[in-house]
Amino acid sequence: MNKKGKSVRAKERRAGWIFLTPATIMILVMSFWPMIQAFITSFKSGKGSLLTWANPWNFNYARILQDKIFITSLKNTFLYLIIEVPVMLILAILLAQILNNKDLKFKGLFRTMVFLPCATSLVSYALIFKSLFATQGLINQVLMNLHIIHENINWLGTAGTAKAIIIIALIWRWTGYNMVFYLAGLQNIDYQVYEAAKIDGASPWSTFWKITVPLLKPVIVMTFIMSINGTLQLFDESVNLTNGGPANATITMSHYVYNMAFGQGVGHFGYSSAMSFVIFIMVAILAFINMKVGDTRD
Amino acid sequence: MKRRLIALLTAGVLSVSMIPMNVFADDADAPTADVSSEDENTLSVYAWDANFNIPALEAAEADYQKNVNPDFKLDIITQSGSSDVENAVTLAGQSSDYSNLPDIVLFQDHYFQQFYVSYPDAWLDLADADIDWDDFGAEKLSYSTIDDVHFGVPVDNGTAIMAYRTDLLEEAGYSIDDMVGCTWDQFIEIGEAVYEKTGKYLLCMDGSGNDLPYMMLQAEGESQFTDGEPTFATNEKYIAIIKDIVEMIQKNVLYLGNDWSDYTDQAIIGDMVAGVLNGNWIIPTMEQATENSGKWEITSLPTLEGGEGYASNGGSSLYITGNCSKPELAADFLAKTFGAGSTETYDAALKNGGVITCSISAGESDVYQEGVDFFNGQPIYADIVEMGANVPVIEQSDYHYQARQYVGTAIQNLVAAGEPTDESVAAALQDAQDQLSFEMAG
């Protein structure tokens, strides 16, 4: 009896491994192998296919700190991160709270509307924002007709407004995505908890802070990590909305990595790989801090 | 805790490694060649513009079929843009597997030097081809020649044209004769008058790919590079040119678009300008503003000290790839069509695609002498071929586009900083030069 049970478990385990194997091999070959290759490449220098071992070995990594454009792109990316992520997550949690209301009518319609931006492709929504904010675009026309402005504003050609538009675009695109996670999290909170709070006389404000937020904490940590990760690797918006301009005022780190590798024809693949790994380390450190802060178990 | 961290790191690495992979995913759908399955009379070629260079290739195919080999077939594989061809060469060179390249590629001249340095195995030279190289403008050939060995056969002509709206000039009290051989200072003065009277800019350019510094410096007969090194900040003419550009933007003489479509669709087609300066391939774009037909005329560039300036920008040539299965047929095809200044090829290329030759003998054909209605009956094709012969040969660099990028950034910074001085321009150019030297050192 005992023996038989064991062999069933062993069989199950084997079946599990067999199911896992194809995906594992694919990930190893398609993702981990290129990563190792990229890591090796990051110690090489030269153009195009003419790569030689960098001398000294940390040549590419040492260069990064002296690269003014990389520093600019780093500052830009962190500016997006610091402004966009909190605003977006707060909006998402508020929307989720509103849409979770039991008495709300047309709930499905509203949820779909908020989530719909996520269904648009990154490139097409960037292009739509670009035409909205073009010098002869819709936004300028509306503002002109309302007599708020007297001449067309070059939104994407001015450093400050171009950054603001990228942030607005990001919030539009990603708020609904995060809201879905919060909605799912909220549905896992038993309604009785809220009822009990109501009986105890808690205000909606303290209900939100004392019940909703603590119970949603794992979801909040997850969305934070995902947003930080996503923002540090921001690429499409910078490329398609502003092409990094004006004068690199909106370029992101990933965009600069791409420019160095492919942007101007033939690239510096060693240097680009080194920058990719620096971004990777930054993501890892930020995620680690985030988890330490968010983890209440230890 | 630990497991979560590992999962997280894995996710992080995965997404980082996605960055370069996306790029290749983009052109996964681009049609590719398979030279191994072609028959002995077929050549494949990559080209990208159905309204421009593809009719030129079709003309050459018909010419070769008629006069040399009736069984010849040119398999023209249309790419969505010139960058598709560049990506195809990058992909092949980076993987050291050239088997997906066609026999011949149409390639942008400004990119060739860079791609030759990076992927020398991707190209076959034309040292043995029977081509009269003296028949071509020397400046055009300087892009495709490396250590005196020719690699490319010119298709089009990149000669820059300075086009003016004569009606708008008149409205401001000037004529095109005032513009021929004027100085840039006079140009700015007239530009201010034109903007004041008509609300149109006398010049326009794409701010994210600003070709003005290169063309204006070439019109002075100088290069941004000396012996392979960038010399922006020490060249007084270059400083004067950049200062003029910044002033032109600040005085509403020059409209600097945010990007290419802003430049073409809004500035040129959207009728915001009274003047256009670029390679003559910009003409089809100008002609899309049909309501202005007959009001344009073209001439040479202004210069710093006065006198007519000549420059060139862009254009492409045909190159035989390292994957070519029939190099002799390819060289013979190129030598007897584009390379021979064949009027049959070039006349049809001009009529069907608006491709202007830089072959001097082909430019003498009757088709080139005809007046063009859009340009007030001016025989612009003959004029362009003639101007092309005057373009000074200057040092080319495989860092051409990087230089454009860094100088373009310097200009945008200067415009934002207020009135330019010689010192502030020199400092901004020094920054650009340092950044480029930094990149070149990698």
Side-chain angles (χ1 to χ4, degrees), chain A residues 157 247, chain B residues 210 242-251 254 256 408-420 424-425 428:
Chain B
N210 193 334
I242 302 300
K243 197 174 157 197
D244 279 345
I245 293 176
V246 174
E247 259 177 54
M248 283 195 267
I249 298 166
Q250 291 170 339
K251 290 178 174 167
L254 163 60
L256 204 61
T409 302
I411 290 173
Q412 280 170 326
N413 285 332
L414 283 165
V415 171
E419 202 176 323
S424 68
V425 174

Side-chain angles (χ1 to χ4, degrees), chain B residues 341-384:
Chain B
S342 158
T343 41
E344 230 159 291
T345 296
Y346 281 113
D347 284 1
L350 180 66
K351 275 190 229 154
N352 304 333
V355 176
I356 300 168
T357 181
C358 65
S359 155
I360 294 154
S361 59
E364 284 158 6
S365 111
D366 292 342
V367 182
Y368 275 81
Q369 316 308 320
E370 286 168 16
V372 178
D373 292 341
F374 190 84
F375 292 92
N376 197 20
Q378 189 184 0
I380 59 163
Y381 303 126
D383 289 355
I384 288 169

Side-chain angles (χ1 to χ4, degrees), chain B residues 166-239:
Chain B
T166 50
D167 57 324
L168 296 174
L169 283 176
E170 227 161 85
E171 224 174 290
Y174 295 92
S175 75
I176 190 150
D177 295 332
D178 296 317
M179 311 309 296
V180 178
C182 71
T183 66
W184 281 111
D185 287 337
Q186 287 165 334
F187 182 92
I188 293 174
E189 207 175 288
I190 297 168
E192 282 182 285
V194 168
Y195 187 78
E196 199 180 305
K197 288 269 162 56
T198 68
K200 312 263 185 202
Y201 299 85
L202 194 52
L203 195 58
C204 55
M205 185 41 73
D206 165 18
S208 69
N210 193 334
D211 289 317
L212 279 178
Y214 174 82
M215 287 189 285
M216 287 165 73
L217 191 63
Q218 186 173 33
E220 306 292 330
E222 297 202 11
S223 169
Q224 304 173 92
F225 293 85
T226 312
D227 298 328
E229 294 298 320
T231 44
F232 305 159
T234 46
N235 186 338
E236 299 207 345
K237 283 188 176 164
Y238 203 41
I239 295 174

Side-chain angles (χ1 to χ4, degrees), chain B residues 69 158 205 316 337 360 379 422:
Chain B
N69 178 357
M205 185 41 73
S316 43
T337 54
I360 294 154
D422 286 345

Side-chain angles (χ1 to χ4, degrees), chain A residues 35 49 130 136 154 247 266, chain B residues 13 117-118 258-259 266 405 412:
Chain A
M35 266 153 45
S49 62
K130 190 171 165 175
Q136 319 272 2
N154 190 355
V266 179
Chain B
V13 180
V117 172
S118 298
N258 290 338
D259 56 29
Q266 297 208 42
Q405 173 100 355
Q412 280 170 326

Side-chain angles (χ1 to χ4, degrees), chain A residues 160-235:
Chain A
T161 49
K163 280 180 186 149
I165 285 159
I166 288 202
I167 291 171
I168 292 168
L170 283 172
I171 291 173
W172 180 84
R173 173 68 168 75
W174 292 105
T175 301
Y177 181 74
N178 287 293
M179 183 201 72
V180 172
F181 289 105
Y182 293 139
L183 264 180
L186 285 174
Q187 267 147 27
N188 279 334
I189 301 174
D190 199 331
Y191 199 71
Q192 288 175 359
V193 183
Y194 288 105
E195 276 177 338
K198 226 180 232 174
I199 290 164
D200 288 343
S203 68
W205 182 249
S206 61
T207 315
F208 178 75
W209 282 108
K210 298 232 166 85
I211 297 174
T212 312
V213 172
L215 287 176
L216 270 184
K217 204 164 184 182
V219 185
I220 294 176
V221 171
M222 183 193 72
T223 52
F224 243 104
I225 293 174
M226 287 197 318
S227 307
I228 289 172
N229 187 20
T231 315
L232 285 185
Q233 293 174 43
L234 203 64
F235 178 74

Side-chain angles (χ1 to χ4, degrees), chain B residues 256-291:
Chain B
L256 204 61
N258 290 338
D259 56 29
W260 183 254
S261 69
D262 196 12
Y263 168 60
T264 54
D265 299 351
Q266 297 208 42
I268 299 177
I269 302 169
D271 200 12
M272 286 170 66
V273 294
V276 173
L277 166 57
N278 218 325
N280 62 64
W281 39 260
I282 200 73
I283 289 174
T285 306
M286 295 167 62
E287 286 175 339
Q288 286 181 50
T290 43
E291 71 275 17

